[in-house]
Amino acid sequence: MNILVINCGSSSLKFQLINSESEKVLAKGICERIGIDGRLTYQAAGSEKTKTEKDMPSHTEAIQYVIEALTDNETGVIKSLDEIGAVGHRLVHGGEKFASSVIITEEVKKAVEECNELAPLHNPANLIGVNACEKLMPGTPMAAVFDTAFHQTMPEKAYMYGLPYEYYEKYKVRRYGFHGTSHSFVSKRAAELTGRPYDATKTIVCHLGNGASVCAVKNGKSIDTSMGLTPLEGLVMGTRSGDIDPAILEFIAKKENLDIEGLMNMLNKKSGVQGISGLSSDFRDLTDASLAGDKRAKIALEVFSYRVAKYIGSYVAAMNGVDVIAFTAGIGENDELVRAAVCSYLGYLGIEFDEDANNTRGQEIELSKPGSKVRVFVIPTNEELAIARETEALIK
Ligand code: AMP
C-alpha cells in the first residue's frame, strides 16, 4: 500500500509518499509560503529535486499541486489517486484524549480541536491539512499520529507540576511531552540493535534537533520526557530556553518592559543557544565560531551538552539504570562534538566511548566499545516512516 504522509504547518506542508511493503520513499517534498505566494519542492526517488513557484492561497491548492506532481506523466510515481491507500497526518497535540494513533473521523477532529489551545500554533494548522486532504481525496482513509501520544504512559508523578491541582482539573495543565513518534521509533530500533526484547529494555533517547527533548523509555513505555505542557520545557534548544527559574519572567518583564507576549517570544525565539551565543541557533555555525575562539559560542555549546547530560542522569535515576542511550535528529545524528561532550559526563555508567566510531555523520552506528556496560548508538530518526507504519497498522 502507498501511504501519503503529511506534516502540515501554518504556511508549509511537508509530504512523503511511502510504500508500506518496501518502506521506500517513492517521492517527497514540501510546499512553502502557503497563503503568501507559494513554492513546491518535489523529488521523486532517483530523480533530481525540482522547485516551482505555484500560486497557493490555501493548503487546498498546495495539496492539489502535490497530487498533480505525484500523478504527473513525467515526474509522477503513481498513475492516479487510487494508488494512495491512506493518508497519515502528523498532529502535534492530542492532550489526554489520545494515547495512540487513530483513524480520523468527525468526532476525532472535534476532539483534536479541543486540544487546540494546548498547541495554538500547531494543531489548527495540522487540522487545516486534514481538511484539505479530505476535500481532495474523499473516501481515502486518514490517520492521525500524535506527537504527544507515546508519552501518555507517563505516571502522575512524572506529569504533574507542583502547581495548584485545580489547574490540572480545570485546564489540564500537566506535562505532555513531544517528539513521541521519534522517541518511539528510535527506542524500538535501539532494542532491535541490542537484540533485547523491547519490553525489557531501559532506553534513553536524546532527540537533539532545533527542538530537542530527552525521553526515558522503560520496557517499551515512555515514563518521563523533558518537554512539558508545551515544547518549551527541558533542554536548552536552538532558540528556546528550556527549564528556567520561573521568577526570571517577572524580573525581566519589569526591567525590559515586556508583556506576556514579549516574554513568550523571548523564551521561544530569542533564547537557547541562539540567545547565549548571540550568533546562531545552528550548531555548525556555533562549532565553527567556538573553534575560532568565540567565547559565547563555546559557552552555548557547553550549556547545551551539560543540560542533556543532566537529563540523562535524572532518567537513569528514574529507571533505576539504563541499557541503551540513543542520539537522534539533526544534532544527535550529525554533531560528533556534542555527542562526545555529552558522553564525557557518563563515565560513571561504565560507558566505553568509541571516539573513532563517533567520527561519522548521519549514519546508524554504535558509539560504545564491545564490553561497554551501557550501549550507545546514533539512530537516525524517521518520523515519516513511523507515521506510515502507524497508519498502515490502523488501516489493517
Ligand atoms: P532538526 O530540527 O532535527 O532538523 O535539526 C536541525 C539542527 O541540526 C540544525 O539547526 C543544526 O543545528 C543541526 N545540524 C544539522 N546538520 C548538522 C551538522 N552536520 N553538524 C552539526 N549540526 C548539524
Side-chain angles (χ1 to χ4, degrees), residues 113-377:
E113 259 170 38
E114 284 163 21
C115 302
N116 276 4
E117 63 178 5
L118 294 170
L121 295 179
H122 295 101
N123 267 26
N126 298 157
L127 277 174
I128 287 173
V130 171
N131 288 328
C133 282
E134 282 183 343
K135 202 159 139 190
L136 295 168
M137 308 169 75
T140 307
M142 315 235 169
V145 180
F146 298 92
D147 266 19
T148 49
F150 182 60
H151 303 298
Q152 279 296 302
T153 46
M154 279 196 287
E156 277 170 333
K157 64 185 174 189
Y159 71 68
M160 287 304 297
Y161 286 113
L163 290 170
Y165 194 76
E166 66 194 80
Y167 296 154
Y168 171 61
E169 290 177 312
K170 284 201 281 192
Y171 312 122
K172 294 285 170 228
V173 172
R174 50 158 284 180
R175 309 184 61 255
Y176 291 95
F178 297 86
H179 295 139
T181 313
S182 176
H183 288 303
S184 163
F185 179 87
V186 171
S187 57
K188 277 186 195 130
R189 182 69 189 139
E192 271 172 28
L193 287 170
T194 55
R196 303 176 62 102
Y198 189 45
D199 59 6
T201 305
K202 296 170 183 173
T203 309
I204 296 175
V205 180
C206 306
H207 178 110
L208 310 179
N210 203 25
S213 68
V214 183
C215 181
V217 186
K218 188 176 184 185
N219 304 337
K221 294 193 164 77
S222 167
I223 62 130
D224 208 342
T225 189
S226 57
M227 284 178 168
L229 174 78
T230 75
L232 186 54
E233 190 181 340
L235 300 178
V236 175
M237 305 177 217
T239 61
R240 289 175 231 160
S241 65
D243 305 333
I244 58 162
D245 177 347
I248 292 172
L249 298 181
E250 186 197 16
F251 186 83
I252 296 295
K254 285 183 179 159
K255 295 274 182 208
E256 297 275 323
N257 199 18
L258 287 177
D259 58 10
I260 283 289
E261 210 171 294
L263 285 174
M264 294 315 292
N265 190 45
M266 180 271 288
L267 292 173
N268 276 304
K269 306 222 168 104
K270 296 183 178 167
S271 299
V273 293
Q274 161 80 57
I276 298 173
S277 69
L279 201 73
S280 172
S281 61
D282 193 303
F283 278 59
R284 289 162 284 202
D285 300 338
L286 294 175
T287 302
D288 289 348
S290 171
L291 292 174
D294 188 295
K295 189 167 162 253
R296 279 170 57 183
K298 183 166 177 274
I299 299 171
L301 291 170
E302 285 175 357
V303 169
F304 180 87
S305 302
Y306 180 63
R307 179 76 59 91
V308 176
K310 284 209 295 186
Y311 263 100
I312 291 175
S314 66
Y315 291 162
V316 173
M319 294 194 289
N320 189 23
V322 61
D323 301 307
V324 200
I325 296 172
F327 289 95
T328 194
I331 300 156
E333 291 167 28
N334 296 300
D335 196 323
E336 71 274 17
L337 296 176
V338 165
R339 292 191 303 246
V342 171
C343 290
S344 73
Y345 293 100
L346 306 179
Y348 69 97
L349 291 173
I351 291 174
E352 294 190 38
F353 190 66
D354 187 336
E355 301 281 350
D356 291 335
N358 189 41
N359 275 330
T360 43
R361 285 188 177 165
Q363 279 178 42
E364 186 174 274
I365 191 155
E366 178 158 9
L367 301 182
S368 44
K369 289 184 183 164
S372 180
K373 275 200 193 137
V374 174
R375 295 180 72 182
V376 183
F377 290 91

Side-chain angles (χ1 to χ4, degrees), residues 16-49:
Q16 284 196 7
L17 186 67
I18 298 177
N19 181 273
S20 62
E21 282 86 35
S22 66
E23 299 205 328
K24 292 244 158 68
V25 177
L26 305 179
K28 63 180 177 180
I30 181 168
C31 298
E32 291 167 290
R33 299 176 61 82
I34 301 169
I36 305 166
D37 37 35
R39 182 172 60 212
L40 169 70
T41 306
Y42 174 84
Q43 186 172 29
S47 302
E48 291 287 304
K49 203 186 262 183

